[in-house]
């Protein structure tokens, strides 16, 4: 009997492997079709586009490219093209520092003064604080005027440090968290001090060559980089070459070039124990102290995605945007690089990566197919829903738009997609309303990009708090926000009064009526954008927020 049992085991095994192989093949084909379709939706053929790659375990299961590597000559992108990765460079810089830690060349609690004795207050700034953005040093890219001219000029490491070391700090070391490019320039300087080599030369030797990253290197302007694409931007809505940037300026904070496939090989080396000692790696991916709330380790964001840990970093640099993510539990990696620094569609690179990763997990985000509902149908969902003892969510119809406003937040538009379900404007967070036995709305379930399962909030009242309107504000309250605001090349916002109305217009776009939430906060229900004006007799600035992105515009002089 035992012999017969063993025989059946031997016979069944090849069949099981065959079935598993066929299933994996089908999953890969489905993923390829889904990713191809998504890329077609996000990028047009004759403008800049993006390259993307997806891995599961050690295997790259998808490669794709769409758009133009050179829009002037209409040269299409292919998966092997090279692009600038911006701040994804920080992951390599952090790992290079940690490799030196593993080699006994430095400690995370070493003061900056050990390597740069003349740096102001360097004895109180640690290597760890440089790695996780808690040093308080002023980020040189936020210094007024830097992005308008100096960023174009070649600079040595010493000259880069001189440009920010005497600028007043944002806070005392370890007191807070603020994303900081200067800190990673200083980490590059530490690498150079210890190794006696340029920061990128050490990376080339210790990382790129060692782990077969053949298309990852320093993106110097004077280097011939095979396969490097052009980068683009939008000026006044028109496509233009990316502004001039000396690649000596981004330094160890953002000066590398790579491909999505190389970035996935990097994921595998970093996250599978090939590069760092386990204890060192754990420190790299684990936020601590003031970086805990920011969910930031060393060159890595540690967040939740569909109920799993997600290790990621994004990058933005003149002409390019990038995003790299890894899900350790499922061993899924996604890397995408776009050769434009401006939005080309409703999808940001990170959103494309999220959608493909969710699909690869077998837990995809819903397709944004809009259902047309009347005002009376939308009003059925209005009410106050209790999230917890301190917070509620108000669902309110504003004009023709149903909106969701969490306590202390701003109204966000909701898109009906059928079955009592609504999408937020990021296209991934879903509100599903529940009904009681009498088919009346009784609550809602929110399923976010972070959750694999939703959280429930009960309907506590259908009576909404009275909403502030522009008509209820005094003439002085409305007049203080009128004027023109500027946020960079081509980004100009006009605000004016017409009777009781507040009308706003981004140059090149239609004029829209804004709805007041408070005297300082306005909402544009047509677009889901909010405008928060600074305080003062005349608002000195306004912060425009939409789809998870914010930009501050300063009042233009008369």
């Amino acid at each position: 009997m035992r012999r017969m049992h063993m025989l059946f085991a031997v016979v069944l095994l090849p069949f099981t492997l065959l079935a598993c192989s066929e299933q994996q093949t089908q999953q890969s084909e489905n993923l390829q079709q889904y990713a191809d379709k998504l890329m077609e939706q996000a990028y047009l053929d004759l403008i800049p586009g993006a390259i993307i790659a997806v891995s599961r375990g050690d295997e790259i299961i998808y490669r794709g490219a769409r758009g133009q590597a050179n829009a002037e000559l209409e040269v299409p992108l292919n998966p092997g093209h090279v692009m600038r990765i911006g701040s994804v460079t920080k992951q390599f810089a952090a790992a290079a520092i940690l490799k030196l830690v593993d080699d006994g060349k430095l400690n995370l609690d070493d003061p900056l003064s050990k390597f740069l004795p003349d740096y102001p207050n360097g004895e109180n700034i640690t290597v760890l604080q440089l790695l996780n953005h808690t040093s308080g040093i002023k980020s040189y890219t936020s210094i007024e005027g830097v992005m308008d001219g100096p960023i174009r000029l070649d600079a040595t490491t010493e000259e880069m440090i001189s440009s920010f070391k005497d600028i007043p700090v944002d806070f005392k070391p370890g007191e807070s968290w603020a994303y900081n490019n200067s800190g990673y320039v200083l980490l590059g300087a530490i690498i150079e001090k210890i190794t006696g080599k340029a920061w990128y030369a050490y990376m080339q030797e210790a990382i790129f060559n060692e782990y077969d990253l053949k298309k990852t290197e320093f993106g110097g302007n004077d280097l011939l980089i095979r396969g490097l694409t052009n980068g683009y931007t939008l000026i006044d809505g028109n496509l233009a070459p990316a502004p001039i940037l000396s690649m000596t300026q981004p330094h160890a904070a953002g000066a590398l070039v790579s491909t999505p496939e190389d970035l996935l090989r990097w994921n595998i080396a970093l996250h599978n124990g090939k590069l760092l000692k386990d204890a060192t790696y754990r420190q790299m991916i684990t936020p601590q102290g003031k970086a805990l709330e920011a969910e930031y380790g060393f060159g890595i964001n540690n967040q939740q995605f569909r109920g799993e840990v997600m290790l990621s970093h994004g990058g933005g640099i003149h002409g390019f945007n990038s995003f790299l993510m890894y899900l350790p539990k499922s061993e899924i990696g996604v890397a995408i690089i776009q050769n434009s620094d401006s939005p080309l569609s409703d999808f940001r690179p990170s959103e494309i990566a999220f959608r493909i990763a969710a699909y690869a997990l077998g837990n995809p985000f819903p397709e944004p197919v809009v259902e047309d509902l009347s005002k009376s149908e939308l009003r059925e969902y209005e009410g106050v829903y209790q999230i917890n003892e301190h917070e509620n969510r108000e669902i309110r119809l504003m004009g023709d738009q149903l909106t969701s406003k969490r306590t202390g937040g701003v109204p966000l538009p909701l898109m009906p997609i059928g079955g009592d379900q609504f999408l937020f404007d990021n296209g991934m967070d879903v509100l599903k309303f529940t009904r009681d036995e009498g088919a009346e709305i009784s609550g809602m379930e929110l399923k976010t990009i972070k959750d694999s399962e939703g959280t429930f909030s009960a309907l506590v009242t259908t009576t909404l708090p009275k909403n502030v309107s522009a008509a209820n504000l005094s003439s002085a309250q409305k007049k203080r926000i009128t004027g023109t605001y500027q946020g960079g090349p081509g980004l100009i916002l006009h605000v004016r009064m017409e009777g009781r109305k507040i009308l706003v217009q981004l140059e090149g776009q239609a004029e829209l009526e804004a709805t007041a939430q408070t005297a300082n906060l306005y909402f544009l229900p047509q677009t889901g954008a909010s405008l928060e004006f600074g305080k003062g007799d005349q608002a000195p600035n306004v912060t425009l927020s939409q789809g998870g992105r914010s930009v501050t515009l300063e009042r233009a002089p008369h």
Side-chain angles (χ1 to χ4, degrees), residues 346-400:
D346 293 335
F347 298 100
R348 290 180 289 175
S350 59
E351 291 166 357
I352 294 172
F354 291 152
R355 288 183 176 278
I356 291 176
Y359 191 91
L361 281 172
N363 188 10
F365 294 107
E367 292 295 323
V369 179
V370 182
E371 182 184 46
D372 189 19
L373 296 181
S374 66
K375 281 189 176 183
S376 60
E377 289 173 312
L378 291 171
R379 282 199 185 93
E380 185 181 6
Y381 301 102
E382 285 192 315
V384 178
Y385 298 77
Q386 186 172 31
I387 299 171
N388 53 49
E389 60 180 313
H390 303 294
E391 294 178 296
N392 294 323
R393 189 179 297 276
E394 293 178 17
I395 304 298
R396 185 190 300 267
L397 186 64
M398 301 182 71
D400 296 325

Side-chain angles (χ1 to χ4, degrees), residues 138-147 163-165 167 182:
K138 173 69 71 175
S139 183
Y140 72 95
T141 48
S142 66
I143 297 172
E144 186 176 357
V146 164
M147 302 305 285
S163 73
F164 59 75
K165 71 176 186 178
I167 302 291
S182 296

Side-chain angles (χ1 to χ4, degrees), residues 80 82 215 217 224-228:
V82 175
K215 294 189 175 183
E217 60 181 298
L224 178 63
I225 300 173
R226 299 289 181 184
L228 182 65

Side-chain angles (χ1 to χ4, degrees), residues 191-438:
I191 292 171
E192 293 181 344
K193 189 75 171 180
I194 292 172
T195 67
K197 302 171 183 175
W199 63 271
Y200 52 84
Y202 172 72
M203 287 187 195
Q204 187 73 51
E205 177 185 291
I207 297 176
F208 309 155
N209 294 345
E210 189 72 18
Y211 298 99
D212 200 29
L213 307 181
K214 294 179 179 177
K215 294 189 175 183
T216 304
E217 60 181 298
F218 171 57
N221 302 81
D222 57 349
L223 300 176
L224 178 63
I225 300 173
R226 299 289 181 184
L228 182 65
T229 72
N230 289 9
Y232 297 89
T233 192
L234 292 178
I235 298 177
D236 296 332
N238 298 312
L239 190 65
I244 296 170
L245 166 70
S246 168
M247 292 306 291
T248 62
Q249 294 271 342
H251 208 269
L256 294 182
V257 300
S258 190
T259 66
E261 285 196 44
D262 257 19
L263 292 179
L264 293 184
R265 290 190 192 95
W266 164 247
N267 262 356
I268 293 164
L270 177 63
H271 299 301
N272 288 286
K274 298 179 181 180
L275 183 73
L276 301 172
K277 293 178 181 178
D278 184 65
T280 313
Y281 169 74
R282 293 295 159 196
Q283 284 185 291
M284 182 180 188
I285 67 170
T286 306
Q288 56 183 285
K290 293 298 182 179
L292 192 59
E293 187 174 342
E295 302 178 306
Y296 199 93
F298 305 159
I300 289 181
N301 291 291
N302 186 324
Q303 299 164 312
Q304 288 290 305
F305 178 83
R306 304 307 256 178
E308 293 192 20
V309 169
M310 176 180 70
L311 305 173
S312 68
H313 209 287
I317 195 167
H318 290 40
F320 299 88
N321 264 302
S322 61
F323 187 75
L324 175 65
M325 64 178 288
Y326 183 69
L327 306 176
K329 181 181 177 182
S330 302
E331 296 186 289
I332 290 171
V334 184
I336 180 170
I337 317 176
Q338 171 183 295
N339 65 327
S340 169
D341 58 22
S342 303
L344 298 174
S345 70
D346 293 335
F347 298 100
R348 290 180 289 175
S350 59
E351 291 166 357
I352 294 172
F354 291 152
R355 288 183 176 278
I356 291 176
Y359 191 91
L361 281 172
N363 188 10
F365 294 107
E367 292 295 323
V369 179
V370 182
E371 182 184 46
D372 189 19
L373 296 181
S374 66
K375 281 189 176 183
S376 60
E377 289 173 312
L378 291 171
R379 282 199 185 93
E380 185 181 6
Y381 301 102
E382 285 192 315
V384 178
Y385 298 77
Q386 186 172 31
I387 299 171
N388 53 49
E389 60 180 313
H390 303 294
E391 294 178 296
N392 294 323
R393 189 179 297 276
E394 293 178 17
I395 304 298
R396 185 190 300 267
L397 186 64
M398 301 182 71
D400 296 325
Q401 178 75 63
L402 196 69
T403 65
S404 168
K405 177 178 176 292
R406 187 167 179 148
T407 301
V410 298
L412 299 173
L414 295 172
M415 178 195 303
I417 59 173
D420 288 329
Q421 293 187 100
F422 290 78
L423 275 179
F424 283 88
D425 64 347
N426 68 3
M428 290 175 281
D429 294 346
V430 182
L431 270 183
K432 182 176 181 179
F433 292 90
T434 58
R435 295 179 182 269
D436 58 22
E437 293 179 356

Side-chain angles (χ1 to χ4, degrees), residues 167-186:
I167 302 291
V169 299
D170 290 333
F171 50 83
K172 293 179 181 179
E175 192 176 74
S176 187
W177 184 93
Y179 191 80
N180 191 327
N181 287 310
S182 296
Y184 274 74
V185 172
L186 291 167

